[in-house]
Amino acid sequence: MKIRTRLQIIAIFSLAIALVIGLVLFLTAQRVNKEISGLKIADEIAKGVFELNIITYEYLLHHEERMQTQWQLRHDSLTKLLTGEEFKSPERRLILDRMHQNLESLKALFSQLVENYKRRGRKESALSRELEERLAGQLLVKSQAMVSDASQLAEASRAEVAIAQQRSSLLVMVFVAIMAAIIAAVSFMFGRSVVKPIRKLHEGTEIIGAGNLDYRVGTTAKDEIGQLSRAFDEMIGKRKRAEEEVRLLQTITFAISETGDVHSALKIVLQKVCEATGWIMGEAWVPNSDGTNLECSPAWYSRVEGLEKFRKESEKFTFPLGIGLPGRAWSSKKPVWVGNVTLDSNFPRAEIAKGVGLKTAMAIPVLIGDEIVAVMDFFVFEARKEDERLLEIISSVASQLGSLIQRKRAEQEVRVLEEQLRQSQKMEAIGRLAGGIAHDFNNLLTIIKGYSQLSFGELKEGDPLRENIEEIRKAADRAADLTRQLLAFSRRQVMEVQVLDLNTVLKNLDKMLRRMIGEDIELTTLLFEDLGRVKADPGQIEQVIMNLIVNARDAMPRGGKLTIETANVELDKEYARTHVAVTPGPHVMLAVSDTGVGMTPEIKAKIFEPFFTTKEKGRGTGLGLSTVYGIVKQSGGNIWVYSEPGRGTTFKIYLPRVDELAEELRVKVEGPELPRGSETILIVEDDEKVRKLALKILEKQGYEVLEAGGGNEALEICRGLEKPIHVVLADVVMPGMDGRQFAEKLREVCQGFKVLYMSGYTDNTIAHHGILDEGLDFIQKPLSVDGLVRKVREVLDK
């Protein structure tokens, strides 16, 4: 029989008293409900303050714009709660007003920080770092004050609930006493079923008010008090779960934010989740290097017999997409719950789990955007029904973990880019120094080489001086090679570019390369069909290939495998973002890989620096790879090296692809005799010794030669000259007037002459970014007798 029916029976005897007491009870119950409602609102305020703090911390770490929107939403909802009329007591009203003031102060501080970060993004003047840190500190202090006030409000509300419930209990007991006097017999029959649950409710309010959220009334009655008791138990259970969830999220968030790597963060999450939820084992599965399978990474398990065996067996497994518990979460990108893994047909470890006694399992994916970076699975011995709330909690933890991994990735990318930029700047500085040295040295080498060649030719066979001069010539040639390599590294040599098919270049070099590497090294070429074309100097590209082949050969003293590969590749924005100086777009890749000794990170960091070598003394100048680096860079490309000690090395070159037809490779055929002539040649060179040498060489070959130390002097000579000038041999870089400016002014005085420019390094006068302007003739210093005579004849015969 319901309480309502019992009261109706009793009301027959004392209707008037029952009505009055019922009205009092109704009002008291309303009061209790109102205070309970106030307690819920206080809890909502506390939860809102906590969420606002979490968003504030995340914004201070990441400065993401989406955090601003979330922060504003939490601020608006808190403002609405704090300005409501639910709380009448002066004590709680005072706390609410103080919290509202703090919230507005918090908003002002947060707005200042947001504006400052925006100014940074626009590169406008921003607050000083010291002031910015002070704002952040004030923000955290205000946030902490809000947390403290929220706790006081919740405590005050609990106290009001306890008081209201005590009053309600007192009125109920008075009601019972009065009714007992009127209907003693009925009260004797039904009093026990009514008073006992009410007493338990009363005790429960006091126990819960003391902070013990584990208390439960636990009644089985079907009447209204039973329903109220069950509702009371459910409310306390929800309250406890909510507080546990908040504590768990807070603990894990702080823990993983302090870890130094993803592996440690995963292990902490596994341990904290298991300890907080009662699950006995957790594992993390991460994609392998090629992204085809999940591999077992860290794990945590309680010290229960059998779990260590299960863990060791699990390490032998990998899971492709859709297979096994981790594979299903990987495929669906959603949590997966299995009530009994020993009966699941898609659980390859079922027999192992059965032997250990594991039953229920769940898997939670860790995502960054739409990318799965890990899958966590958890196990427990007993069979459990799917707990949606638990899945939501752990999914929230996985979301926090995903944010951490994303931040760690960004930090790693920044470190890599900073190192690449530092290395690039260092190489640029070394290149400038090397180019300057090579420029000055080339004039000296021109004199040494030229006069030694002239002297050698004038000495008779058997003359003892011929051997000495021959050694001088050889030394000068070696010095000239060094300067050419320095110019290549510093990107100051003049390039005569053609549209090339790298496959054709490699095929032409095939026999030479095989002779270079020897019989104990296996050479494999993987040439991509329909390979794109590139613009480069064919001679310099051949030098790049041969230098890389020699380097690979020396890395395999006991033989090995050498692979040359070409391919069309598309370098996207993501690749360019993580590699300094890379421009996205279509490229042609040339890769040279060996199975040699490999390199340590320390050696790899210096591998392109000039004069750095790991070879023994006398077996290398240390300019081979620096030359490769300079040629690739001057050709508009990039070169990257991948190597590990004992596992070989791969050099990958990326050159921009062009949509032009490949040109036929030009081959120079030179006769045995030096060509002669009788034409008039004007030499314009500010270095007197170089000028005199060129004059002597050309006069010896029959030419009529005029000389000038600069542009103005040469113009004066030409104005008074009656016969034509056939070739002007002009230095590119001269004081007052450069070679090209002189040639243009000379055309105002006379016509019909050709110009041959000479220089020790590239200059924007005749070459841009090292590429010779179309239609111009150029000879590189240091000059040699043979080279100068043949080049002059070539220009004259055009």
Side-chain angles (χ1 to χ4, degrees):
M1 183 183 294
K2 292 185 177 181
I3 295 176
R4 184 183 299 173
T5 305
R6 301 170 192 173
L7 293 175
Q8 287 175 349
I9 295 173
I10 298 173
I12 296 174
F13 302 100
S14 52
L15 181 59
I17 297 174
L19 287 173
V20 173
I21 295 176
L23 179 60
V24 173
L25 287 173
F26 174 77
L27 294 175
T28 305
Q30 288 290 97
R31 171 66 177 170
V32 172
N33 289 336
K34 186 174 182 181
E35 292 301 330
I36 291 176
S37 176
L39 178 58
K40 291 180 179 179
I41 294 172
D43 288 342
E44 289 181 19
I45 291 172
K47 184 177 180 181
V49 169
F50 176 77
E51 292 175 347
L52 191 69
N53 285 349
I54 290 295
I55 296 171
T56 301
Y57 289 144
E58 290 188 354
Y59 183 79
L60 289 174
L61 288 172
H62 308 299
H63 318 314
E64 296 180 0
E65 291 185 3
R66 63 184 183 83
M67 298 298 179
Q68 300 173 29
T69 304
Q70 294 178 12
W71 198 95
Q72 187 60 47
L73 290 174
R74 295 297 185 279
H75 169 272
D76 293 342
S77 62
L78 270 176
T79 301
K80 185 176 179 181
L81 290 172
L82 292 173
T83 55
E85 298 296 326
E86 289 80 1
F87 300 101
K88 300 295 185 181
S89 67
E91 179 187 358
R92 287 185 288 177
R93 194 71 255 171
L94 183 63
I95 294 172
L96 287 171
D97 292 341
R98 187 167 64 245
M99 290 184 71
H100 186 246
Q101 291 175 2
N102 284 336
L103 182 62
E104 293 308 306
S105 298
L106 205 62
K107 180 180 179 182
L109 291 170
F110 187 79
S111 299
Q112 289 183 48
L113 275 176
V114 169
E115 185 59 27
N116 183 57
Y117 291 137
K118 287 182 179 178
R119 288 197 192 108
R120 275 198 194 165
R122 299 192 296 264
K123 297 185 178 177
E124 299 176 1
S125 59
L127 294 174
S128 68
R129 175 64 64 180
E130 179 181 356
L131 183 54
E132 181 180 300
E133 291 177 355
R134 189 164 67 249
L135 283 174
Q138 292 174 0
L139 191 70
L140 295 175
V141 169
K142 288 291 183 182
S143 299
Q144 203 58 39
M146 290 280 289
V147 172
S148 177
D149 286 340
S151 298
Q152 290 182 27
L153 181 65
E155 289 300 322
S157 298
R158 290 191 188 95
E160 291 292 337
V161 170
I163 292 171
Q165 289 175 336
Q166 288 174 356
R167 290 176 181 172
S168 175
S169 298
L170 181 61
L171 286 173
V172 169
M173 287 188 290
V174 171
F175 166 78
V176 171
I178 295 173
M179 296 302 291
I182 300 174
I183 48 171
V186 176
S187 297
F188 181 79
M189 293 175 58
F190 300 109
R192 184 176 178 83
S193 62
V194 174
V195 173
K196 185 177 180 180
I198 291 178
R199 185 180 294 115
K200 292 193 71 174
L201 279 171
H202 172 65
E203 292 173 353
T205 57
E206 291 181 343
I207 294 171
I208 291 165
N212 183 5
L213 297 180
D214 293 324
Y215 178 83
R216 297 293 183 271
V217 176
T219 183
T220 58
K222 303 295 184 181
D223 55 23
E224 290 87 349
I225 293 181
Q227 294 175 2
L228 178 62
S229 298
R230 286 188 289 276
F232 182 84
D233 288 347
E234 185 178 350
M235 178 190 73
I236 298 305
K238 289 181 178 178
R239 168 83 177 277
K240 181 180 179 182
R241 285 196 298 273
E243 290 191 2
E244 289 175 345
E245 292 165 10
V246 170
R247 282 197 297 271
L248 175 62
L249 285 172
Q250 184 180 19
T251 300
I252 291 177
T253 300
F254 288 146
I256 63 178
S257 66
E258 295 177 357
T259 57
D261 58 86
V262 175
H263 185 279
S264 301
L266 283 167
K267 193 164 186 178
I268 286 175
V269 170
L270 296 174
Q271 179 179 352
K272 296 295 183 183
V273 169
C274 288
E275 290 176 346
T277 60
W279 291 61
I280 60 168
M281 184 174 187
E283 300 173 321
W285 300 81
V286 296
N288 58 8
S289 57
D290 56 5
T292 56
N293 288 284
L294 290 176
E295 297 176 342
C296 196
S297 189
W300 184 90
Y301 51 90
S302 59
R303 298 303 173 185
V304 178
E305 186 178 354
L307 291 182
E308 185 174 356
K309 176 184 177 182
F310 183 79
R311 164 62 179 167
K312 288 183 178 179
E313 291 296 325
S314 294
E315 290 177 351
K316 302 175 183 178
F317 283 82
T318 59
F319 293 107
L321 203 66
I323 303 300
L325 185 60
R328 278 182 276 176
W330 188 19
S331 174
S332 66
K333 298 181 180 178
K334 294 179 180 179
V336 177
W337 185 284
V338 178
N340 191 337
V341 294
T342 63
L343 303 177
D344 192 301
S345 58
N346 192 3
F347 191 81
R349 296 177 287 167
E351 288 301 319
I352 308 171
K354 185 176 182 180
V356 176
L358 297 175
K359 289 286 195 304
T360 303
M362 61 177 170
I364 311 292
V366 180
L367 295 98
I368 297 177
D370 199 44
E371 177 193 359
I372 294 284
V373 294
V375 174
M376 299 184 294
D377 59 11
F378 299 90
F379 298 90
V380 72
F381 286 132
E382 66 272 12
R384 295 185 182 181
K385 293 182 179 179
E386 183 172 342
D387 188 338
E388 293 184 1
R389 184 60 182 164
L390 180 61
L391 291 175
E392 289 178 6
I393 296 170
I394 304 179
S395 295
S396 297
V397 172
S399 177
Q400 296 288 337
L401 182 58
S403 298
L404 170 73
I405 295 173
Q406 188 175 29
R407 189 176 79 245
K408 295 293 183 186
R409 280 184 176 179
E411 291 173 354
Q412 179 64 23
E413 288 177 2
V414 168
R415 284 195 294 270
V416 170
L417 286 174
E418 286 176 347
E419 177 59 24
Q420 289 180 5
L421 180 60
R422 185 194 66 78
Q423 188 70 9
S424 176
Q425 290 172 338
K426 182 175 74 172
M427 297 289 279
E428 185 67 27
I430 296 173
R432 288 176 185 166
L433 176 62
I437 293 171
H439 168 241
D440 294 335
F441 200 48
N442 270 332
N443 280 341
L444 298 175
L445 284 175
T446 296
I447 298 166
I448 296 171
K449 285 187 66 175
Y451 280 110
S452 64
Q453 288 174 339
L454 289 175
S455 299
F456 185 84
E458 293 174 357
L459 294 174
K460 297 178 180 179
E461 289 290 339
D463 193 312
L465 291 177
R466 284 179 66 92
E467 184 177 349
N468 295 343
I469 293 176
E470 179 64 22
E471 290 302 319
I472 294 173
R473 288 177 57 190
K474 291 178 181 179
D477 287 340
R478 288 197 297 272
D481 288 339
L482 287 175
T483 55
R484 276 195 295 272
Q485 289 175 312
L486 286 173
L487 285 172
F489 169 71
S490 61
R491 288 166 269 168
R492 293 191 176 189
Q493 59 183 347
V494 175
M495 300 171 58
E496 297 186 48
V497 299
Q498 291 181 232
V499 179
L500 301 177
D501 181 345
L502 291 184
N503 285 352
T504 302
V505 175
L506 287 167
K507 289 174 183 176
N508 291 341
L509 291 174
D510 186 72
K511 290 183 179 179
M512 181 190 297
L513 297 180
R514 293 183 186 277
R515 287 197 300 269
M516 287 171 58
I517 62 176
E519 296 180 354
D520 59 343
I521 295 177
E522 176 189 351
L523 175 62
T524 302
T525 55
L526 305 173
L527 305 183
F528 188 83
E529 293 184 10
D530 195 23
L531 186 69
R533 275 78 62 197
V534 299
K535 271 190 173 182
D537 186 309
Q540 293 180 12
I541 290 298
E542 289 178 355
Q543 185 180 357
V544 165
I545 295 169
M546 288 190 288
N547 281 355
L548 291 179
I549 296 300
V550 168
N551 200 66
R553 179 199 65 192
D554 293 343
M556 297 183 287
R558 299 182 181 178
K561 184 175 181 180
L562 177 61
T563 303
I564 304 175
E565 181 183 0
T566 60
N568 292 331
V569 296
E570 188 78 24
L571 301 184
D572 56 18
K573 292 182 178 179
E574 178 64 22
Y575 183 88
R577 188 173 65 84
T578 56
H579 292 76
V580 170
V582 171
T583 301
H587 286 69
V588 173
M589 182 199 73
L590 169 64
V592 177
S593 303
D594 64 64
T595 58
V597 295
M599 292 181 280
T600 64
E602 292 76 18
I603 292 176
K604 191 168 65 173
K606 298 180 179 180
I607 198 68
F608 294 119
E609 294 181 9
F611 305 114
F612 175 80
T613 180
T614 58
K615 299 174 184 177
E616 59 268 23
K617 189 174 181 180
R619 285 206 58 202
T621 62
L623 287 172
L625 288 177
S626 61
T627 301
V628 170
Y629 178 87
I631 292 173
V632 171
K633 285 290 186 180
Q634 194 170 0
S635 302
N638 289 279
I639 181 169
W640 305 97
V641 59
Y642 307 88
S643 183
E644 292 183 22
R647 301 186 66 177
T649 300
T650 295
F651 287 91
K652 287 188 176 181
I653 295 171
Y654 297 95
L655 296 173
R657 201 158 73 229
V658 296
D659 293 326
E660 299 178 34
L661 294 176
E663 303 175 40
E664 185 177 352
L665 294 178
R666 297 188 285 268
V667 180
K668 295 182 180 179
V669 179
E670 299 178 349
E673 297 292 332
L674 289 180
R676 298 180 61 83
S678 59
E679 293 89 345
T680 302
I681 300 172
L682 172 62
I683 301 174
V684 187
E685 164 65 66
D686 60 303
D687 190 313
E688 182 181 0
K689 293 180 180 179
V690 174
R691 187 172 72 247
K692 294 297 184 184
L693 172 64
L695 183 145
K696 191 170 184 178
I697 292 171
L698 294 173
E699 282 185 340
K700 186 178 180 181
Q701 296 305 117
Y703 296 102
E704 183 176 352
V705 185
L706 305 173
E707 60 171 312
N712 291 324
E713 182 184 347
L715 289 173
E716 289 300 322
I717 292 173
C718 293
R719 286 192 180 98
L721 196 66
E722 296 182 358
K723 53 187 175 183
I725 295 175
H726 298 94
V727 172
V728 174
L729 178 61
D731 191 19
V732 174
V733 181
M734 295 184 294
M737 185 188 305
D738 64 45
R740 193 159 190 174
Q741 290 173 337
F742 162 70
E744 291 171 357
K745 286 186 177 293
L746 183 60
R747 295 192 192 282
E748 299 173 2
V749 177
C750 56
Q751 299 291 326
F753 61 88
K754 297 175 181 178
V755 182
L756 174 58
Y757 295 101
M758 58 180 174
S759 182
Y761 73 116
T762 181
D763 181 86
N764 287 336
T765 303
I766 62 165
H768 298 275
H769 304 293
I771 299 174
L772 189 68
D773 289 355
E774 188 175 356
L776 296 183
D777 292 300
F778 177 79
I779 184 170
Q780 180 87 40
K781 290 181 180 180
L783 304 177
S784 66
V785 174
D786 184 89
L788 177 60
V789 171
R790 293 187 187 279
K791 188 66 179 181
V792 168
R793 189 70 259 167
E794 177 189 326
V795 173
L796 284 168
D797 292 342
K798 277 189 176 181

